[in-house]
């Protein structure tokens, strides 16, 4: 039951993280005339403030001393911070320069990269329907990329940087709040130094565009921290292959915003690619529902078998009736999370070994 709860928590956290990331293109244009690098620096500074307040309220500080005593883990945290800063900065630049659709393409590619890492590096394996969905998704990415008539460098950098970030988070196996705090603490000194330098040069927009603009820049801490905490919680509870499939949510939202809200160009080949993505998602949904039903049936059969063995062990009158009563009153098993299998030859897992 605890494992089922962990799986459900991971899936809900993943849905929350990718849903918020799908809507974030609405926020970054509000921060103009700030440039992408200035916005990135504010993200780093204010994110630390947000998670610091959260840790103060929860009184969760003991992990800091433990992290400081593990050089390898500290090095992985620094690597994660560097990788995510590249991802953040490029995405802000893309959205504020009319490249929302190409940015969304990066997150269509990203699940494929993440799944490849899960299979090749961590030994995860996929069901046939999931392989079919991945193949259709790959075809969609190819169609969308060809439509640009050039290598989609924004998309590729976004995809590989975030896939690498997910793998590092998996290896770290830290709580979402703790890992984000460690990452932003490492990013804070250079970010603050850059903001101070902008102020000295007279190029900072923080205090020159009004109180509303200053508050919006400060809000980058919340916009950054909330989905990343949710992502961190999901990354340590579900296989990377599942995390990769959940990631289709964000680019679907972003692509829709790029077309319907930002009115970016949509030639026929991009519509064709988008249709292929929806086909892949339909297959994944069908496979998830089928797998969940089968898992519930197996759990129910196993519970019935275990309860039916009782009378042979304790042949009293009470024990002969107890299994039947227990069988009637036992709660229905929690639905199995629709996760990909763990390492080959092993049952589904909620966490992969670090």
């Amino acid at each position: 039951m605890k494992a089922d709860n962990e799986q459900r928590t991971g899936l809900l956290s993943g849905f929350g993280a990718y849903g918020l990331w799908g809507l974030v293109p609405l926020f970054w244009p509000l921060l103009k005339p700030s440039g992408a690098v200035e916005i990135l620096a504010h993200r780093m500074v204010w994110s630390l403030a947000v998670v610091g307040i959260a840790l103060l309220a929860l009184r969760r500080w003991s992990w800091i001393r433990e992290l400081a005593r593990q050089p390898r883990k500290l090095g992985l945290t620094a690597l994660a911070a560097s990788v995510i800063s590249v991802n953040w900065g490029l995405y802000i630049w893309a959205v504020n320069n009319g490249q929302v659709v190409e940015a969304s393409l990066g997150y269509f590619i990203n699940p494929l990269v993440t799944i490849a890492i899960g299979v090749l590096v961590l030994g995860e394996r996929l069901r046939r329907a999931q392989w079919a969905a991945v193949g259709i998704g790959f075809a969609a990415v190819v169609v969308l990329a060809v439509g640009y008539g050039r290598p989609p460098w924004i998309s590729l950098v976004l995809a590989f940087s975030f896939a690498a970030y997910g793998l590092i988070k998996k290896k770290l196996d830290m709580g979402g709040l703790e890992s984000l705090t460690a990452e932003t603490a490492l990013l804070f000194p250079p970010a603050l130094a850059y903001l101070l330098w902008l102020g000295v040069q007279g190029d900072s927009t923080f205090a020159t565009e009004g109180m509303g603009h200053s508050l919006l820049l400060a809000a980058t801490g919340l916009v950054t921290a909330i989905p990343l905490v949710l992502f961190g919680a999901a990354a340590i509870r579900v296989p990377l292959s599942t995390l990769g499939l959940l990631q289709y949510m964000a680019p679907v939202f972003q692509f829709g915003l790029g077309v319907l809200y930002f009115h970016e160009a949509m030639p026929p080949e991009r519509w064709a690619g988008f249709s292929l993505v929806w086909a892949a998602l339909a297959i994944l949904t069908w496979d998830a529902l089928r797998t969940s039903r089968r898992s519930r049936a197996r759990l129910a059969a196993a519970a019935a078998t275990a309860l039916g063995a009782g009378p042979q062990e304790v042949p009293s009158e009470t024990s002969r009736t107890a299994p039947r009563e227990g069988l009637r009153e036992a709660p229905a098993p929690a639905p199995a999370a629709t996760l990909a299998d763990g390492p080959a030859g092993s049952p589904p897992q909620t966490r992969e070994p670090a």
Side-chain angles (χ1 to χ4, degrees):
M1 183 63 69
K2 182 178 179 181
D4 290 337
N5 290 335
E6 285 285 294
Q7 290 174 349
R8 283 196 295 271
T9 299
L11 285 174
L12 290 174
S13 298
F15 279 121
Y18 292 115
L20 290 172
W21 276 321
L23 298 175
V24 80
L26 296 172
F27 179 73
W28 302 124
L30 301 177
L31 303 180
K32 293 179 179 180
S34 298
V37 179
E38 183 180 3
I39 296 172
L40 175 62
H42 277 287
R43 287 190 77 173
M44 297 172 179
V45 169
W46 294 108
S47 294
L48 181 60
V50 170
V51 295
I53 292 172
L55 286 176
L56 186 62
L58 296 173
R59 298 181 179 179
R60 285 160 56 176
W61 303 103
S62 58
W63 60 272
I64 298 177
R65 184 177 300 176
E66 180 182 351
L67 177 62
R69 294 174 177 174
Q70 301 180 62
R72 178 180 177 276
K73 204 166 187 178
L74 194 59
L76 286 174
T77 302
L79 182 59
S82 301
V83 169
I84 199 60
S85 65
V86 172
N87 185 276
W88 287 354
L90 181 58
Y91 187 79
I92 293 170
W93 180 90
V95 171
N96 285 353
N97 284 272
Q99 301 294 329
V100 176
V101 171
E102 185 171 351
S104 73
L105 175 58
Y107 292 103
F108 283 127
I109 299 173
N110 181 49
L112 302 175
V113 178
T114 303
I115 289 172
I117 291 175
V119 172
L120 299 176
V121 178
L122 301 181
E124 297 176 1
R125 55 191 176 91
L126 305 178
R127 295 181 292 273
R128 291 181 180 178
Q130 291 175 315
W131 277 118
V134 169
I136 295 173
F138 179 78
V141 169
V142 171
V143 170
L144 290 168
V146 169
Y148 285 99
R150 58 175 173 78
W153 67 271
I154 294 175
S155 306
L156 293 172
V157 174
L158 289 175
F160 280 89
S161 61
F162 202 72
Y165 180 68
L167 176 62
I168 297 168
K169 296 282 276 192
K170 197 76 172 178
K171 294 294 185 181
L172 280 171
D173 195 21
M174 293 175 62
L177 183 61
E178 290 83 356
S179 61
L180 179 58
T181 303
E183 291 160 21
T184 51
L186 293 172
L187 294 171
F188 179 84
L192 182 61
Y194 177 76
L195 292 177
L196 293 175
W197 179 81
L198 279 183
V200 171
Q201 297 295 315
D203 296 327
S204 173
T205 63
F206 182 72
T208 60
E209 298 295 326
M211 180 62 69
H213 183 74
S214 299
L215 291 175
L216 284 173
L217 285 173
T220 57
L222 290 173
V223 171
T224 299
I226 293 174
L228 273 175
V229 168
L230 291 173
F231 173 78
I236 63 173
R237 288 175 171 85
V238 298
L240 272 180
S241 51
T242 299
L243 210 59
L245 298 175
L246 282 177
Q247 289 173 17
Y248 277 113
M249 284 181 59
V252 165
F253 289 171
Q254 294 165 9
F255 191 87
L257 287 174
V259 174
L260 301 175
Y261 183 80
F262 295 103
H263 304 292
E264 295 186 17
M266 273 299 299
E269 57 269 22
R270 293 186 193 174
W271 282 118
F274 195 51
S275 299
L276 287 173
V277 169
W278 279 110
L281 292 175
I283 292 175
L284 291 177
T285 302
W286 169 79
D287 178 68
L289 293 174
R290 182 187 64 167
T291 303
S292 180
R293 286 195 297 267
R294 289 181 176 179
S295 297
R296 286 198 298 268
R298 285 196 297 267
L299 288 173
T305 301
L307 289 171
Q312 300 174 3
E313 299 171 1
V314 185
S316 66
E317 183 64 26
T318 302
S319 65
R320 284 195 296 269
T321 59
R324 291 193 295 273
E325 294 174 357
L327 184 58
R328 288 195 301 270
E329 297 177 2
T338 56
L339 307 183
D341 294 336
S346 67
Q349 302 180 10
T350 57
R351 297 190 184 203
E352 295 296 332

